[in-house]
Amino acid sequence: MSPPAADPLALGQKLVSILDDGLRTATYKLATLIALLDHAVEHVPADTDAEVHVDLDDLAARVIALYWRPVRDLDGHYLRQSSNPVARIPDTVRTFRTLASRVGGTEPTVDVAARSHPTDYLAAVATVKQVLVTQPLYRLQRVRGAQRHEYFLYDDTWLSDRVSARTLAHHNNRITLLPGVCTTLARLSSLMRPALQISWLDDVRRLNPFLHRDVPDLAAHHFGADRISLDRARSALLENFGPRCFYCDAPTTQHVDHVLPWSRVGLDGLSNLVLACARCNLNKSHLLPDPQFVARALDRGRDRLTDIAETIAWPSQYDRVASAAHGLYATQPAGTPLWLGHRRVDTIRTDFAWPRFTTMTESGE
Ligand SMILES: [Zn+2]
């Protein structure tokens, strides 16, 4: 049985009940939920009540990206993400990461690794997808102790702990978010994402009892931006757009800033990166910037950004940044703070005039 509409409060409560389930044996459900939230932000449909398909290879790719950092050693330890000794998702990601890191000195980002080792990457996607459909996607909406099964995000009645390739193909290799769910998930994203990350870290502490309660960088180890890799993007930005702060035009060569905050959408493609002075960078922090900044970042041009990205073997993510911007701004409630520049913050008003992000219509469903 599916509910009639995606009421944000009801949906939020159900998501929280997934979080509250203290008996999780792996972090997979949390990662899957974050991946679904991210997908939702990037695919908010023009008709807010529309169904939205989620391609399962895309979802697996998002989950791989989410485990890309956690599977690195922390102080010489490969952290457990599951109580099962064989943890197929993190093990697969770790194996692929190790393989792709052999060439060259610096650790690649997941997009760079996917491009340099396409066959191995596709194999990893296939493995992770298989685990997703038989475990977290199948179990996510089955609340312990519930009288009967009621799905509220997507129809999961065809999933089980054994899903054949034929069944997957029969369902077009996708799940479908119920009417209105995509928009609601996008609206809940900025609330739910941090809550899911906190639960994830709690699980990791529980699964790795040797970790002292306040390991300083456990959060950064899991969810931080990759500062070292970003150096490559920094020199490219410097060379092509000059040693100026994107926001205030002050001379700088210092910081690479994520225009759409990393903590909200996790996009580190060149289209989402700019040079910023320390003042602007620190002051902006996790705030959503004035959408004009995003429009201006995209106005640097899809072709130009893609060309520059190519020269440093870096993803551009132009369309994803445009779609995520659309999804983020379109679903923020009035009153959400907007960063307009150093020490200037306004809030979103109901009559806010949104700029058109370049590919809004092309990349919408
Ligand atoms: Zn500045």
Side-chain angles (χ1 to χ4, degrees):
M1 285 198 82
S2 76
D7 169 50
L9 189 57
L11 197 68
Q13 284 169 335
K14 284 180 174 147
L15 293 178
V16 168
S17 75
I18 295 173
L19 283 185
D20 283 346
D21 183 350
L23 298 169
R24 271 190 302 276
T25 53
T27 54
Y28 301 177
K29 276 186 188 174
L30 302 173
T32 305
L33 264 178
I34 295 177
L36 284 172
L37 290 174
D38 289 350
H39 182 94
V41 168
E42 288 180 42
H43 293 83
V44 171
D47 168 9
T48 54
D49 290 331
E51 293 184 338
V52 168
H53 302 304
V54 183
D55 180 86
L56 291 170
D57 288 292
D58 283 356
L59 195 69
R62 286 183 191 277
V63 169
I64 290 175
L66 287 169
Y67 279 101
W68 192 248
R69 291 177 57 78
V71 299
R72 294 168 306 146
D73 278 356
L74 178 65
D75 295 338
H77 297 281
Y78 172 32
L79 301 182
R80 298 186 74 154
Q81 299 286 339
S82 164
S83 59
N84 194 323
V86 181
R88 280 175 72 204
I89 292 180
D91 290 355
T92 302
V93 177
R94 185 171 160 100
T95 305
F96 175 63
R97 181 171 180 134
T98 309
L99 181 101
S101 302
R102 276 196 202 122
V103 197
T106 52
E107 299 264 308
T109 67
V110 64
D111 300 271
V112 171
R115 289 171 64 167
S116 62
H117 295 73
T119 313
D120 298 300
Y121 180 67
L122 287 179
V125 168
T127 305
V128 169
K129 177 174 74 173
Q130 191 59 30
V131 182
L132 288 182
V133 293
T134 54
Q135 294 186 27
L137 283 174
Y138 163 49
R139 294 186 187 147
L140 198 57
Q141 304 174 96
R142 290 164 202 268
V143 182
R144 210 179 300 267
Q147 296 282 314
R148 61 196 172 115
H149 175 51
E150 239 181 295
Y151 57 84
F152 50 94
L153 299 170
Y154 51 88
D155 178 0
D156 61 5
T157 53
W158 60 279
L159 296 172
S160 69
D161 51 14
R162 299 173 72 167
V163 179
S164 68
R166 205 170 145 206
T167 306
L168 266 181
H170 179 72
H171 289 270
N172 300 314
N173 195 53
R174 69 193 188 194
I175 54 171
T176 301
L177 298 176
L178 300 170
V181 164
C182 183
T183 307
T184 303
L185 286 181
R187 287 175 64 188
L188 290 171
S189 174
S190 48
L191 282 174
M192 290 300 301
R193 215 171 186 273
L196 289 162
Q197 291 180 343
I198 289 166
S199 297
W200 187 330
L201 296 182
D202 283 348
D203 287 0
V204 168
R205 287 201 182 89
R206 197 163 37 77
L207 293 163
N208 301 272
F210 66 89
L211 286 174
H212 191 264
R213 193 81 214 141
D214 38 52
V215 176
D217 52 359
L218 194 57
H221 180 74
H222 277 69
F223 309 119
D226 208 333
R227 291 288 153 200
I228 295 165
S229 311
L230 284 179
D231 260 0
R232 248 158 91 190
R234 193 169 70 98
S235 32
L237 291 168
L238 196 59
E239 192 178 312
N240 287 278
F241 302 106
R244 300 244 153 223
C245 171
F246 178 78
Y247 302 107
C248 73
D249 209 38
T252 187
T253 56
Q254 285 257 301
H255 297 266
V256 174
D257 184 64
H258 293 85
V259 182
L260 293 175
W262 171 263
S263 56
R264 290 186 186 245
V265 288
L267 293 174
D268 60 7
L270 200 68
S271 305
N272 194 36
L273 297 180
V274 295
L275 284 183
C277 69
R279 251 168 42 119
C280 289
N281 186 250
L282 291 170
N283 186 246
K284 175 170 170 273
S285 186
H286 302 298
L287 291 174
L288 267 187
D290 184 327
Q292 302 296 346
F293 286 130
V294 185
R296 190 146 69 74
L298 293 171
D299 279 347
R300 293 177 293 175
R302 180 209 298 260
D303 292 347
R304 185 165 181 215
L305 287 163
T306 308
D307 286 349
I308 299 167
E310 286 291 328
T311 63
I312 54 165
W314 195 266
S316 159
Q317 294 181 328
Y318 188 93
D319 291 339
R320 288 188 62 189
V321 172
S323 310
H326 167 63
L328 269 182
Y329 290 109
T331 55
Q332 296 302 314
T336 301
L338 276 186
W339 187 80
L340 306 184
H342 185 244
R343 291 193 177 164
R344 284 167 49 226
V345 174
D346 197 358
T347 52
I348 293 180
R349 292 179 300 274
T350 42
D351 59 349
F352 211 91
W354 302 113
R356 275 180 70 81
F357 298 106
T358 319
T359 55
M360 217 157 96
T361 43
E362 290 161 36
S363 56
E365 288 300 315

